[in-house]
């Protein structure tokens, strides 16, 4: 999953950022990206490579993965710009500094979702965006949906639909939302503006 995240980072830079009007990040020296659930650090490292002046903060509540992330970030040569933090998304206490945040809700339990959305909104710059993932199969075959729900549950997440997420986004105080094209690696993707 970690290695697959590198492609997700490329998709964020090449496909999502232009749609969200975030095209100047590569040149800016004050840009900041938040990676919630930084895991093995592959997504964070690739974002730092693609946006070579941006500051990247990665947070994960699983301490064990942060050691792997450290190795990946060091190897990528971007340790001076990528900060790794141990903690829950709801512990975020930064000022409103982030231009863009990645929030893989498909790996978070249903009760964590409203708090996670709110915590991220508080740390976005005015007009900054969060991109959230949801993963709910919508097959005519019940067994396909059941298998998908099982995989999501094993990943520690919940099978939230994109419609359910839009309700949560409004409740968390975001000003607008946009459905982005989904990718096979991520499921449905929704962007919301803080
Ligand atoms: C699929 S992994 C992310 C993979 C990552 N992009 C990479 O490059 O390895 C999802 C991560 O989210 C983390 N996570 C889940 N709930 C969280 C929460 N409430 N706060 C912070 N991290 C969380 C998990 O510990 C896990 O490492």
């Amino acid at each position: 999953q970690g290695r697959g995240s590198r492609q997700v980072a490329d998709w964020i830079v090449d496909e999502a950022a232009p749609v969200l009007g975030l095209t100047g990040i590569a040149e800016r020296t004050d840009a900041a990206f938040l990676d919630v659930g930084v895991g093995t650090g592959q997504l964070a490292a690739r974002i730092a490579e693609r946006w070579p002046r941006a500051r990247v903060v990665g947070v994960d509540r699983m301490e064990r993965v942060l050691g792997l992330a450290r190795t990946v970030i060091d190897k990528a040569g971007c340790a001076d710009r990528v900060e790794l933090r141990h903690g829950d998304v709801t512990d975020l206490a930064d000022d409103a500094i982030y231009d863009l945040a990645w929030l893989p809700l498909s790996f978070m339990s249903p009760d964590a979702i409203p708090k996670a959305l709110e915590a991220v909104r508080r740390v976005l710059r005015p007009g900054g965006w969060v991109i959230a993932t949801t993963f709910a199969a919508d097959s005519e075959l019940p067994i396909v949906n059941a298998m998908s729900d099982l995989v999501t549950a094993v990943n520690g997440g919940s099978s939230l639909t994109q419609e359910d997420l839009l309700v949560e986004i409004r409740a968390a105080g975001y000003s607008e939302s946009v459905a982005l094209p989904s990718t096979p690696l991520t499921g449905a993707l929704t962007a919301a503006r803080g």
Side-chain angles (χ1 to χ4, degrees), residues 45-95:
R46 186 67 182 144
I47 287 283
E49 284 168 10
R50 295 292 312 274
W51 284 334
R53 296 174 183 184
R55 175 179 171 209
V56 177
V57 173
V59 59
D60 206 295
R61 65 178 182 176
M62 202 193 289
E63 197 165 15
R64 177 163 68 84
V65 292
L66 292 173
L68 293 170
R70 180 83 282 146
T71 309
V72 168
I73 301 293
D74 287 348
K75 214 168 150 189
C78 49
D80 55 332
R81 288 184 297 114
V82 182
E83 182 190 339
L84 297 172
R85 294 186 195 158
H86 178 222
D88 192 271
V89 57
T90 52
D91 298 334
L92 286 168
D94 302 89
D95 294 332

Side-chain angles (χ1 to χ4, degrees), residues 1-6 8 35-45 58-63 65-66 68-69 72 85-91 102-109 112-113 116 155-157:
Q1 278 172 348
R3 292 207 181 96
S5 292
R6 288 182 68 83
V8 177
D35 183 6
V36 177
V38 67
T40 61
Q42 298 277 359
L43 189 149
V59 59
D60 206 295
R61 65 178 182 176
M62 202 193 289
E63 197 165 15
V65 292
L66 292 173
L68 293 170
V72 168
R85 294 186 195 158
H86 178 222
D88 192 271
V89 57
T90 52
D91 298 334
W102 173 250
L103 183 61
L105 290 176
S106 36
F107 292 94
M108 292 180 194
S109 62
I113 289 173
N155 282 335

Side-chain angles (χ1 to χ4, degrees), residues 144-166:
V144 171
N145 296 331
M147 283 300 291
S148 168
D149 288 353
L150 176 65
V151 170
T152 304
V154 168
N155 282 335
S158 50
S159 301
L160 194 73
T161 65
Q162 207 168 16
E163 286 99 68
D164 293 338
L165 175 59
L166 290 175

Side-chain angles (χ1 to χ4, degrees), residues 125-147:
R125 263 183 215 276
W129 290 89
V130 60
I131 301 175
T133 68
T134 47
F135 208 92
D138 186 20
S139 170
E140 288 167 10
L141 299 173
I143 194 160
V144 171
N145 296 331
M147 283 300 291

